[in-house]
Amino acid sequence: MSAIISVDRLRLFINRLRERLWVKPLAICLLSIVNVFVAKLVDEPDLARFVPAISAESLDSLLSIMASSMLVIATFAVGSMVSAYASASKTATPRAFRLVIADDVSQNALSAFVGAFIFSVVALTAVKNDYFEPAGLFAIFVLMAAVFSIVILVFLRWGDRIARLGRLGTTIDVVEKATADALKRRREAPSLHGVAKRYQDVYGQPVLATRVGYVQHVDIATLHACAEKAQGHIVVTALPGTFATPGRALAFVSDSPGGQPAIDREQVIESFLIGDDRTFQDDPRFGLVVLSEIAGRALSPAVNDPGTAIEVIGALVRLFVLWNDSGAKKEDEASKYDRVEVPELALKDLFDDAFTAIARDGASAVEVAVRLQKALLSLAMIGDAAMREAAGHHGRLALARAEKALDLAEDVVAVRAVAALVQSAAAEEPDQDAVRRLV
């Protein structure tokens, strides 16, 4: 039962609904139908004396115009959205599709158009069958005017949005925001509100996955309830983003030696939501991978767009600065599930996800190689020991790749100059004068 009412499960369910294009239009359609019949509630003879008289013929004409025009606009909206989604998948990466389709402005626009169409059809049917008295006709007229005003405002806003929806820059912004949200949540709860994994080696009996896929969510509350009921202990070994296969341990459980009932293994397995794809909500590393993929595609010979790769590098720096700035742990929340141990994300893995592919694909472009070294220098100067070590490691790797890929000696010298500053900053001995001279 705890899995059903878990806040994290509820958040995951809401995020999944946002990715379904039919949810909001369906809700608005139902609301439109309800509004037509709500108008009947004010259809009282006493009110007819106080409202203007609206002829059924005029409403008939206006509703007919709205019905025909809204159907055309809704069809046009769907076509435009599909084109934008296809453009985002082709110019950026297909992994960003889930975020693009969850765009609230586009979903609200489609919902408004379809809802207005349903409202006009239902209201037109009611008016033609003499369902309303004078007060009801006036109420329908007011509702129609309100719906029409909403449609106009939504259309104007959506027109500006759809012009940017499939563009590469917009996709990068959307992915960066989703990754920032995931990083912030994980930084505030590094162990998912469990206890940080105490030992390098795991102990207990393994609980194996029963299907193939990616771990999308781990319900720590349910795991804690299982462990508490049996007075046992659980060590999670598969964080969100892990590729699970039968035979791969999701967790290790230790039953109580005091004769308590054993931990329910099936319940433990059900606490791990496994799907076919990785998701952004609980998997911050996936967002870094997607940004790196966007940069990699931009650096391919077919595209040859180093500017986009540089833009992605800037986004990655902002994300790691956010990770560094939001490092204050909430001790009271971090340990509320004290019977579940969860490993924390390793900063080295985050750097691998973010910078390895860019360093490889951008090694032959001096502007990308230099910008990458400057990004690593920035992170080495603001971060803690772990970030300095990771920045220095990737600075050395990026330099080695650039030395092999660059043909012009002057380009190699330029990259080496910045790479030397990265290593000095990683060793906590930055040359401040040289850093200030960098553009």
Side-chain angles (χ1 to χ4, degrees), residues 198-225:
R198 299 185 179 94
Y199 308 106
Q200 184 174 359
D201 298 329
V202 295
Y203 53 90
Q205 298 299 316
V207 178
L208 307 180
T210 56
R211 57 166 299 184
V212 177
Y214 291 96
V215 177
Q216 297 177 343
H217 175 72
V218 182
D219 194 338
I220 304 297
T222 299
L223 291 176
H224 177 77

Side-chain angles (χ1 to χ4, degrees), residues 105-221:
V105 175
S106 297
Q107 289 193 6
N108 292 339
L110 181 61
S111 302
F113 302 151
V114 175
F117 170 72
I118 296 298
F119 168 81
S120 58
V121 169
V122 176
L124 182 62
T125 303
V127 170
K128 279 182 172 293
N129 287 275
D130 299 325
Y131 182 68
F132 296 108
E133 300 296 334
L137 292 176
F138 178 74
I140 286 294
F141 176 78
V142 172
L143 287 173
M144 182 188 65
V147 169
F148 190 72
S149 301
I150 292 173
V151 167
I152 294 298
L153 295 175
V154 169
F155 182 80
L156 293 175
R157 186 185 180 200
W158 174 74
D160 178 73
R161 182 70 171 191
I162 199 66
R164 298 178 174 85
L165 185 59
R167 300 295 182 264
L168 185 57
T170 302
T171 304
I172 293 174
D173 292 340
V174 170
V175 176
E176 181 183 353
K177 182 180 184 304
T179 308
D181 292 341
L183 282 171
K184 187 174 181 180
R185 285 195 300 269
R186 181 60 64 86
R187 191 59 168 163
E188 291 176 350
S191 302
L192 303 178
H193 301 302
V195 177
K197 190 168 172 291
R198 299 185 179 94
Y199 308 106
Q200 184 174 359
D201 298 329
V202 295
Y203 53 90
Q205 298 299 316
V207 178
L208 307 180
T210 56
R211 57 166 299 184
V212 177
Y214 291 96
V215 177
Q216 297 177 343
H217 175 72
V218 182
D219 194 338
I220 304 297

Side-chain angles (χ1 to χ4, degrees), residues 69-115:
S69 59
M70 286 301 102
L71 182 59
V72 173
I73 294 177
T75 304
F76 167 74
V78 172
S80 300
M81 291 166 65
V82 170
S83 298
Y85 299 153
S87 175
S89 297
K90 290 179 181 178
T91 58
T93 171
R95 260 64 64 188
F97 178 77
R98 286 178 176 269
L99 295 178
V100 177
I101 201 174
D103 178 67
D104 287 331
V105 175
S106 297
Q107 289 193 6
N108 292 339
L110 181 61
S111 302
F113 302 151
V114 175

Side-chain angles (χ1 to χ4, degrees), residues 186 192 215 218 236-243 248 272 342-345:
R186 181 60 64 86
L192 303 178
V215 177
V218 182
V236 173
T237 57
L239 291 174
T242 302
F243 187 67
R248 175 37 163 112
F272 289 82
V342 182
E344 298 183 9
L345 288 178

